[in-house]
Amino acid sequence: MPFFCCVVENAKLRFYSAYECLKIEIKTMVEESKIEVLANQRSIEDWLSHARELVPVALDRAREVKGFPTRWRKIISKLEQIPSCLSDLSSHPCFSKNALSKEQLQAVSRTLAEAIELAKSCLGEKYEGKLRMQSDLDSLSGKLDLNLRDCGLLIKTGVLGEVSESAFPNSSIAMEAITSSNIKELLARLQIGHLEAKHRALDCVLELMKEDEKSLFAVLGRSNIAALIQMLTATSPCIREKSITVICSIIESGGYENWLVSEGVLPPVIRLLESASTVGKEKAMISVQRLSMSAETARSIVGHGGVQPLIETCRTGDSVLQAAATCTLKNISAVPEVRQSLSEQGIVKVMINLLDCGILLGSKEYAAECLQNLTAGNENLRKSVISQDGVRSLLAYLNRPSPQEPAVSALRNLVGSMPPEKLASLNFLPRLVHVLKSGSLGAQQAAASAICRACGSDEMKKLAGEAGCLPLLIKLLDAKPHGAREIAAQAVSSLITLPQNRKEIKRDDKSVPNLVQLLDSSPQNTAKKYVVSSLLCLSSSQKCKRMMISHGAIGYLKKLAEMDVPGAKKLLERLEMGKLRSLFS
């Protein structure tokens, strides 16, 4: 029994102790609430007077302290700057007309009160430990720095003259009450105060963006962008994610890229590619992708070490991130001077793997375009793509219903660096025939160019004719873009030198009419010299000469002969001679 009684008594004591603690906690909360209410009831002039009264008290107490001399000297130096700071703030014409001034005075007053309390503790040596006091003093010094900086920002950035008297709500936004002035105040809150206050302002910005993004961007200033960029390096992952979400929307809206880059957005965004949450990585990737469209910024991305996380995302990222990373690398590869650096970091192998195994069709298309950029004008990179079996991957990628230009253009860049027998073994020409039949117009033009480059030997010209290239090239002569007609005419003039191919062209009733219509003497028609060459090869045939004459070739050739187009006079003489003979006969 005595033991049971003892247990009961102990339980009672613990209960009463917890009850008393709870009462004290509730009482403290009530008192703090009352203090906050009283603080809000004070006018801005009262707060200014209160802060000015605290400054000499804080300085007197700080100067009396003997311990921690180095730290207190720094604190005293900062306390001495507060009077002039308060004077500058209070002399502003709009000082009393906004909530930010009042909030700033409250923050300064709290810091001064803390300085007084810490000085008392040091004087009476009533502190928990030396290390704890050192930490508290460093924290106080940081708060003073923040107060001085924020006061300066309110004055220098013109925020005081822009914001309204009503404070922007901390919790939720009353959309019908939003004005340009309120939005400016909200953006100003991203720059002043401690991190938690900035975090609350960031939440309000996100909420506002859902409802009225256009109004927000209309008043966005460079200093607001700088504040958002600073929050990208916050220790809180949540703040970093929210900040990159806002910055991503700003980038997508257009018009702010130069500000963002000049304020240093690239380094923290690139770090987010490596360490952020899934949402944060996605927003960071979209941001880098959009910024990489500028050649100057693309160089900066390489300089800040952005290539490796992009390549890693191409290897391991999900489909959306992979596509965005590939597009970014494609944009960067368009800058000639960084291509070698990209190659050294393994981009060629990654792009070839994406062609073979990419999840999204968009990723494959970006990879093909990246290889097109890399192989343009750089023999070392062309050899690198060939040695890593890139030609096979590009040709395999062309086996789709509607081949697009980038992969064909990449092949066009590579054919000159490969022996003809290797191209033949890879079924190069049959794949180009598929492109000429089913590809986009840009792809067809690139295919015609690739045929020109590949068919330098009679053997390759023969293979091209057997593969069925000529009828498709003749058809391309009728295309609208001048560039497509020119390259088709060049390919025909190259292949037609082989007698076997001439027979193929003569059998096609569209050949001569399509060629003759490109004898037009206008400067835009850049195909005419190749057309004259092709028609000269066909002029040994009486049937072809008659067709040329009937379609008006003589009239065209007279103008071309006057312009000294190579072969025009010779072809004109042949046709006129043939016409005379036909008249006599």
Side-chain angles (χ1 to χ4, degrees):
M1 264 317 264
F3 173 74
F4 177 74
C5 290
C6 184
V7 170
V8 170
E9 285 299 317
N10 285 336
K12 283 182 179 179
L13 284 170
R14 285 198 299 273
F15 172 77
Y16 285 124
S17 176
Y19 176 68
E20 288 299 319
C21 288
L22 182 61
K23 279 171 61 180
I24 292 167
E25 190 174 336
I26 292 170
K27 185 178 178 183
T28 304
M29 287 171 64
V30 169
E31 287 174 356
E32 285 179 352
S33 178
K34 286 179 180 177
I35 291 168
E36 190 173 343
V37 170
L38 288 171
N40 289 331
Q41 288 175 350
R42 274 186 174 183
S43 69
I44 194 167
E45 288 76 13
D46 291 338
W47 276 109
L48 178 62
S49 176
H50 180 59
R52 281 175 168 162
E53 287 170 2
L54 288 175
V55 172
V57 178
L59 278 169
D60 289 343
R61 293 284 186 276
R63 287 166 180 154
E64 291 173 8
V65 178
K66 303 301 180 188
F68 311 101
T70 304
R71 284 178 169 80
W72 276 108
R73 273 198 299 272
K74 287 182 180 178
I75 290 168
I76 290 166
S77 171
K78 291 166 187 177
L79 288 170
E80 288 170 342
Q81 296 174 48
I82 287 179
S84 63
C85 185
L86 293 176
S87 178
D88 291 341
L89 190 64
S90 61
S91 61
H92 194 282
C94 300
F95 166 69
S96 60
K97 295 179 181 179
N98 60 78
L100 291 176
S101 296
K102 187 175 180 180
E103 290 174 21
Q104 190 57 37
L105 291 173
Q106 290 171 345
V108 171
S109 298
R110 283 194 296 270
T111 305
L112 290 169
E114 186 179 335
I116 292 167
E117 289 303 314
L118 284 175
K120 285 180 181 178
S121 298
C122 286
L123 284 168
E125 296 187 358
K126 297 176 182 177
Y127 47 85
E128 295 179 12
K130 189 174 181 181
L131 291 175
R132 175 63 183 273
M133 179 52 73
Q134 286 175 344
S135 175
D136 289 344
L137 292 174
D138 290 338
S139 174
L140 172 63
S141 184
K143 288 175 184 177
L144 286 166
D145 282 331
L146 185 64
N147 293 153
L148 292 168
R149 186 189 73 91
D150 287 351
C151 281
L153 273 173
L154 284 173
I155 298 161
K156 289 175 186 175
T157 60
V159 167
L160 286 183
E162 292 177 346
V163 301
S164 64
E165 192 169 352
S166 59
F168 213 98
N170 287 330
S171 55
S172 62
I173 297 176
M175 293 306 299
E176 65 276 4
I178 287 181
T179 64
S180 172
S181 184
N182 282 336
I183 296 173
K184 287 178 180 178
E185 178 182 336
L186 171 61
L187 293 171
R189 291 175 185 278
L190 294 172
Q191 302 175 59
I192 62 173
H194 52 81
L195 189 60
E196 191 52 44
K198 292 176 181 177
H199 191 179
R200 288 196 298 271
L202 188 59
D203 285 334
C204 287
V205 169
L206 283 166
E207 193 174 341
L208 175 60
M209 282 174 59
K210 294 174 188 174
E211 304 293 337
D212 193 5
E213 191 178 80
K214 198 174 286 186
S215 295
L216 178 70
F217 293 154
V219 296
L220 193 66
R222 186 164 187 157
S223 56
N224 311 132
I225 285 174
L228 283 166
I229 291 170
Q230 285 180 355
M231 294 170 82
L232 289 175
T233 58
T235 53
S236 165
C238 180
I239 294 177
R240 292 200 301 268
E241 184 177 304
K242 290 175 182 178
S243 301
I244 190 59
T245 301
V246 176
I247 284 173
C248 183
S249 295
I250 292 170
I251 291 170
E252 288 183 313
S253 73
Y256 298 95
E257 289 89 345
N258 291 337
W259 279 2
L260 284 156
V261 173
S262 62
E263 290 294 337
V265 76
L266 287 175
V269 171
I270 288 169
R271 298 292 80 80
L272 288 176
L273 294 177
E274 301 169 322
S275 60
S277 63
T278 304
V279 174
K281 277 185 181 178
E282 186 175 321
K283 297 296 183 183
M285 188 65 73
I286 293 168
S287 301
V288 174
Q289 178 187 341
R290 179 65 185 252
L291 292 170
S292 67
M293 293 168 71
S294 155
E296 179 114 12
T297 308
R299 293 186 196 95
S300 297
I301 291 169
V302 177
H304 288 296
V307 173
Q308 208 51 51
L310 289 168
I311 285 178
E312 193 57 35
T313 304
C314 289
R315 289 194 184 110
T316 61
D318 63 32
S319 57
V320 175
L321 284 173
Q322 190 181 74
T326 312
C327 181
T328 307
L329 288 168
K330 178 264 295 183
N331 292 341
I332 294 172
S333 69
V335 183
E337 57 265 36
V338 303
R339 288 172 187 161
Q340 191 59 45
S341 173
L342 293 174
S343 175
E344 289 164 4
Q345 296 184 65
I347 193 172
V348 171
K349 187 64 178 174
V350 169
M351 292 301 126
I352 292 172
N353 286 341
L354 280 171
L355 276 179
D356 294 334
C357 313
I359 302 168
L360 295 178
L361 189 59
S363 299
K364 291 173 177 278
E365 199 67 33
Y366 293 140
E369 196 169 346
C370 186
L371 289 173
Q372 174 193 348
N373 292 337
L374 292 170
T375 54
N378 191 316
E379 184 61 26
N380 288 334
L381 287 174
R382 286 197 283 265
K383 288 178 180 176
S384 176
V385 173
I386 292 167
S387 67
Q388 295 183 62
D389 216 11
V391 175
R392 180 201 56 76
S393 297
L394 286 163
L395 288 168
Y397 174 58
L398 291 179
N399 272 343
R400 32 182 300 229
S402 180
Q404 298 300 305
E405 182 180 351
V408 192
S409 295
L411 283 168
R412 177 199 61 203
N413 295 341
L414 295 168
V415 292
S417 303
M418 295 182 69
E421 57 273 15
K422 178 67 175 175
L423 289 171
S425 69
L426 290 169
N427 288 323
F428 172 74
L429 288 166
R431 298 285 170 80
L432 291 187
V433 167
H434 169 61
V435 174
L436 288 170
K437 285 179 179 176
S438 309
S440 66
L441 185 57
Q444 291 177 29
Q445 185 173 334
S449 180
I451 290 169
C452 286
R453 295 189 184 190
C455 297
S457 66
D458 285 350
E459 183 59 31
M460 287 301 289
K461 290 176 184 178
K462 179 185 173 186
L463 291 173
E466 292 171 349
C469 291
L470 281 164
L472 298 166
L473 289 169
I474 292 294
K475 186 179 177 182
L476 192 58
L477 291 172
D478 210 20
K480 286 186 178 179
H482 297 295
R485 294 202 297 260
E486 179 184 6
I487 198 65
Q490 186 180 355
V492 169
S493 70
S494 173
L495 297 179
I496 207 172
T497 56
L498 199 68
Q500 180 178 328
N501 289 339
R502 279 202 295 277
K503 290 179 184 177
E504 178 72 25
I505 287 181
K506 288 173 186 177
R507 284 196 291 269
D508 189 341
D509 291 337
K510 293 181 180 178
S511 300
V512 172
N514 281 8
L515 285 165
V516 170
Q517 73 176 358
L518 291 180
L519 289 173
D520 178 26
S521 60
S522 67
Q524 293 82 11
N525 177 25
T526 52
K528 46 186 175 280
K529 61 180 179 180
Y530 301 113
V531 172
V532 171
S533 173
S534 297
L535 290 173
L536 265 173
C537 288
L538 295 172
S539 63
S540 58
S541 162
Q542 291 300 322
K543 177 188 172 184
C544 290
K545 278 199 287 190
R546 283 196 297 272
M547 289 183 72
M548 291 178 208
I549 293 166
S550 66
H551 282 87
I554 289 177
Y556 287 127
L557 286 168
K558 284 179 179 178
K559 291 182 180 179
L560 296 182
E562 291 172 4
M563 295 166 62
D564 289 330
V565 173
K569 287 181 181 178
K570 186 175 182 180
L571 180 57
L572 178 62
E573 288 170 2
R574 286 188 184 182
L575 295 185
E576 286 181 331
M577 185 65 68
K579 191 175 181 182
L580 282 171
R581 283 176 183 166
S582 66
L583 283 171
F584 284 122
S585 64

